[in-house]
Amino acid sequence: MTVTVAIPLTTDALTPQAHRLIEAVRELVEISQGTITLEPAAPVAFEPASSGPEVRMLTGSRQVLLDGESLPLTRLEFDLLLFLAERPRRVFTRAQLLAGVWGYEHTGERTVDVHVRRLRLKLGGNLPVITTVYGVGYRLSDEARVVVQPHD
């Protein structure tokens, strides 16, 4: 049996959660006398064919460009946008976003709402980048033109 696990990186270093996952997989592989291979994944680039402003995320320098102009984002705003951009067409609950972006679930779920609102304001009203899925959570909008570049 072959199992493939893709762990998206927002920096050059693995998160503590990713390290724990890799160690758990290694233990399981050693018990069954299997092998494990780590290799870098292909770069993520998602460019829908729609008109409107383009959001370009330069992960190496943690910069965001909106139609070529620098857009200052906080660390969590950047991480939230990157998390959604790397997983287009997928809906996330607030709890999933807290775990995936913040790395824990100990804060209130409304924290996600506040960060989404601030991110929407910074991106402007012309481009619906983050869509609310009522009763569920948030997702990257189908109309959003977000390009993720792993290195500058």
Side-chain angles (χ1 to χ4, degrees):
M1 172 171 65
T2 300
V3 177
T4 303
V5 178
I7 302 173
L9 299 176
T10 56
T11 64
D12 290 335
L14 289 174
T15 63
Q17 297 89 347
H19 276 292
R20 286 195 299 271
L21 176 62
I22 290 171
E23 289 306 313
V25 170
R26 279 196 174 127
E27 286 179 30
L28 289 172
V29 168
E30 289 172 5
I31 291 170
S32 64
Q33 297 178 344
T35 61
I36 186 170
T37 305
L38 296 176
E39 59 187 54
V44 177
F46 176 66
E47 295 186 68
S50 64
S51 61
E54 176 188 74
V55 177
R56 187 167 295 273
M57 300 190 73
L58 310 173
T59 60
S61 60
R62 295 186 60 86
Q63 289 183 316
V64 175
L65 304 176
L66 179 60
D67 273 345
E69 297 292 321
S70 181
L71 182 69
L73 297 181
T74 66
R75 180 187 65 83
L76 285 171
E77 290 167 347
F78 182 91
D79 291 345
L80 176 60
L81 182 58
L82 182 62
F83 186 86
L84 293 171
E86 289 178 331
R87 298 158 183 86
R89 297 186 183 94
R90 184 164 169 210
V91 179
F92 295 94
T93 65
R94 289 171 181 87
Q96 288 172 319
L97 289 171
L98 280 171
V101 176
W102 280 257
Y104 54 87
E105 297 177 27
H106 303 297
T107 189
E109 289 186 351
R110 294 298 170 200
T111 299
V112 175
D113 297 341
V114 170
H115 281 81
V116 167
R117 185 176 66 242
R118 288 180 183 163
L119 190 53
R120 284 175 172 162
L121 284 172
K122 287 183 178 183
L123 291 168
N126 304 349
L127 178 67
V129 175
I130 300 173
T131 301
T132 301
V133 180
Y134 293 98
V136 182
Y138 298 101
R139 68 189 290 271
L140 189 71
S141 172
D142 288 334
E143 294 82 30
R145 291 182 44 204
V146 180
V147 178
V148 178
Q149 290 183 316
H151 302 288
D152 300 350

